[in-house]
Amino acid sequence: MSRKVYVSLGSNKGSEFLALQKSKIYSEDFVIYAFEPEPKCFEHLEKVQEQVPNITHIKKCASTHNGVVSFNTGKFTAGGTMREDKKAGLTGQTQLLEAIDICEWLNNNITEDDYVIMTMDIEGSEYEVLPHILNDKCSNLINKIYVEFHGKKM
């Protein structure tokens, strides 16, 4: 095992990293990648980085492809979704944000020797991204994955 890697898809304001830091599995040699595209979250993540300095913030949507996507802005939190069919908790406003093919990223940044924990809280997009991970030959790079499903919110 060469590295311990924590990959967060949909990091929002970064509170999960403070919880991770207090957990029994955490050590300072963890490499943490935080995928969060919503600009309203950036300042919050920067404050968390002061306490958990081993976070690399990737300011892109975790997706099945690379490119620019329409991101629907959240109403109650600093979040949102790429899903057009998700209606709950959105403002009706959209912004164009950059997306990244998560399998391509994993294949370019992770090795099979790495121990990878992934969390996924991407507001409905898990229904496309999770099958993409499973079918695109990159699931072998992930040891544990935790997914929050949002079916009732769509």
Side-chain angles (χ1 to χ4, degrees), residues 26-41:
Y26 179 78
S27 61
E28 290 184 5
D29 60 340
F30 252 103
V31 177
I32 301 172
Y33 295 100
F35 287 82
E36 179 52 57
E38 171 57 73
K40 291 183 209 168
C41 295

Side-chain angles (χ1 to χ4, degrees), residues 34-38 42 46 57-61 97-98:
F35 287 82
E36 179 52 57
E38 171 57 73
F42 295 175
E46 288 169 9
H57 181 193
I58 299 170
K59 299 174 181 179
K60 298 180 181 182
C61 301
L97 298 175
E98 193 171 348

Side-chain angles (χ1 to χ4, degrees), residues 7-130:
V7 179
S8 169
L9 308 183
S11 303
N12 200 268
K13 296 178 181 177
S15 61
E16 73 180 285
F17 306 120
L18 298 173
L20 172 67
Q21 188 180 47
K22 293 176 185 173
S23 75
K24 293 179 182 178
I25 66 165
Y26 179 78
S27 61
E28 290 184 5
D29 60 340
F30 252 103
V31 177
I32 301 172
Y33 295 100
F35 287 82
E36 179 52 57
E38 171 57 73
K40 291 183 209 168
C41 295
F42 295 175
E43 182 179 325
H44 299 281
L45 272 168
E46 288 169 9
K47 287 180 183 174
V48 171
Q49 283 176 300
E50 292 172 8
Q51 297 173 60
V52 187
N54 46 336
I55 298 171
T56 299
H57 181 193
I58 299 170
K59 299 174 181 179
K60 298 180 181 182
C61 301
S63 182
T64 60
H65 64 280
N66 295 313
V68 176
V69 296
S70 180
F71 188 83
N72 299 298
T73 305
K75 184 185 288 187
F76 303 111
T77 64
T81 183
M82 294 183 294
R83 296 285 302 233
E84 292 180 14
D85 59 345
K86 184 178 178 203
K87 304 297 180 197
L90 299 175
T91 62
Q93 298 174 336
T94 61
Q95 55 186 319
L96 296 177
L97 298 175
E98 193 171 348
I100 189 167
D101 181 325
I102 195 60
C103 279
E104 183 179 307
W105 183 89
L106 285 166
N107 283 314
N108 290 332
N109 293 279
I110 303 297
T111 71
E112 288 189 11
D113 292 331
D114 293 333
Y115 182 80
V116 177
I117 299 171
M118 177 181 280
T119 62
M120 185 181 302
D121 184 2
I122 50 178
E123 305 300 321
S125 293
E126 65 273 9
Y127 294 102
E128 288 84 34
V129 173
L130 188 56

